[in-house]
Amino acid sequence: IKEVKAFDLEYESYSLLGIVYNELGESDKAIEYQNKALAIDAKTIPVEFQSKATSLNNLGMVYQNLNENKKAIPYFQKGLGLKKELILYKPSVYAMLLDNLGYSRFKLNESNGLPGLFYESLKLRDSLQLTTGVIISKIHLSEYFASKNDIVKAAQFSNEAIVTARKSKNARNVLLALRQLAVIEPVKAAVYNKEYIQINDSLQKADRNIADKF
């Protein structure tokens, strides 16, 4: 058990470094550390420590952020291949993989599984009360229906996203929803953009204050 815990801690360290480097835009480093996390995962036998799908999702996200969705899709598909374990131990990761696979296909103008992947992810995220995940799913559904010129449904999901975001009292969630609303409702774009700028400036100021303290 001690050996498994050591592997798990090492895995989490590599995985977190990969996520941080992805956020910083250093994709090569992000890929390097996520692959190191995958190598550690191969040593952990008990299924309850199943982390492979998380690393596969993270690797897919690196390529998705680079707009290299053809490279991203196989990672999401491999992760979803572990459905049985994920549903039992990490349903939130399963929901992420569903949404990310759907979004990469959407970006490639592929219709396979859409919008079903978004709906399935939303249903699971809602049942798990994953607020940020619910908002992301609704934004992706809004983008999808906007691409199909179904402005009614696009507006419905973007408005549901902003309502959920405001209730969460999480400023970053609100930013996600405001960005999509500005696209769907161009008449009100100036209002949404003004609020977006105000919230974003406030967050940046807070981040700078935290950095100064350190």
Side-chain angles (χ1 to χ4, degrees), residues 77-90:
Q77 289 175 322
K78 286 179 185 176
L80 288 169
L82 300 166
K83 177 179 178 179
K84 190 179 294 184
E85 293 89 348
L86 288 174
I87 290 295
L88 186 58
Y89 296 110
K90 292 189 176 180

Side-chain angles (χ1 to χ4, degrees), residues 28-164:
D28 289 342
K29 286 282 189 181
I31 292 168
E32 175 189 343
Y33 281 106
Q34 292 301 345
N35 278 319
K36 284 184 177 182
L38 273 174
I40 293 298
D41 179 76
K43 301 173 185 176
T44 60
I45 299 172
V47 72
E48 59 263 35
F49 289 95
Q50 179 57 261
S51 301
K52 183 177 182 180
T54 303
S55 291
L56 289 168
N57 179 71
N58 291 342
L59 278 164
M61 284 294 295
V62 175
Y63 288 110
Q64 192 180 79
N65 289 344
L66 290 170
N67 203 30
E68 296 182 19
N69 288 288
K70 283 188 177 180
K71 289 184 179 179
I73 286 175
Y75 289 104
F76 300 139
Q77 289 175 322
K78 286 179 185 176
L80 288 169
L82 300 166
K83 177 179 178 179
K84 190 179 294 184
E85 293 89 348
L86 288 174
I87 290 295
L88 186 58
Y89 296 110
K90 292 189 176 180
S92 61
V93 175
Y94 183 67
M96 275 195 294
L97 285 161
L98 287 170
D99 184 74
N100 285 330
L101 175 60
Y103 198 63
S104 281
R105 284 179 176 172
F106 166 67
K107 286 295 186 179
L108 290 170
N109 295 314
E110 294 181 7
S111 59
N112 184 21
L114 297 177
L117 289 166
F118 293 141
Y119 278 121
E120 188 177 353
S121 176
L122 174 58
K123 183 178 180 181
L124 185 53
R125 283 170 160 173
D126 191 41
S127 70
L128 295 169
Q129 297 183 324
L130 302 172
T131 304
T132 300
V134 167
I135 292 166
I136 291 171
S137 288
K138 289 185 175 182
I139 289 172
H140 287 171
L141 279 163
S142 177
E143 288 184 51
Y144 172 80
F145 284 112
S147 73
K148 300 298 180 183
N149 295 316
D150 189 339
I151 303 304
V152 173
K153 280 191 176 180
Q156 173 196 329
F157 283 111
S158 59
N159 278 291
E160 287 179 8
I162 193 67
V163 169
T164 304

Side-chain angles (χ1 to χ4, degrees), residues 1-18 33 36-41 43-44 48-51 55 90:
I1 296 175
K2 287 182 179 179
E3 186 179 14
V4 170
K5 286 184 177 179
F7 283 142
D8 199 43
L9 182 59
E10 191 175 359
Y11 166 82
E12 292 295 342
S13 298
Y14 282 135
S15 181
L16 184 57
L17 279 167
Y33 281 106
K36 284 184 177 182
L38 273 174
I40 293 298
D41 179 76
K43 301 173 185 176
T44 60
E48 59 263 35
F49 289 95
Q50 179 57 261
S51 301
S55 291
K90 292 189 176 180

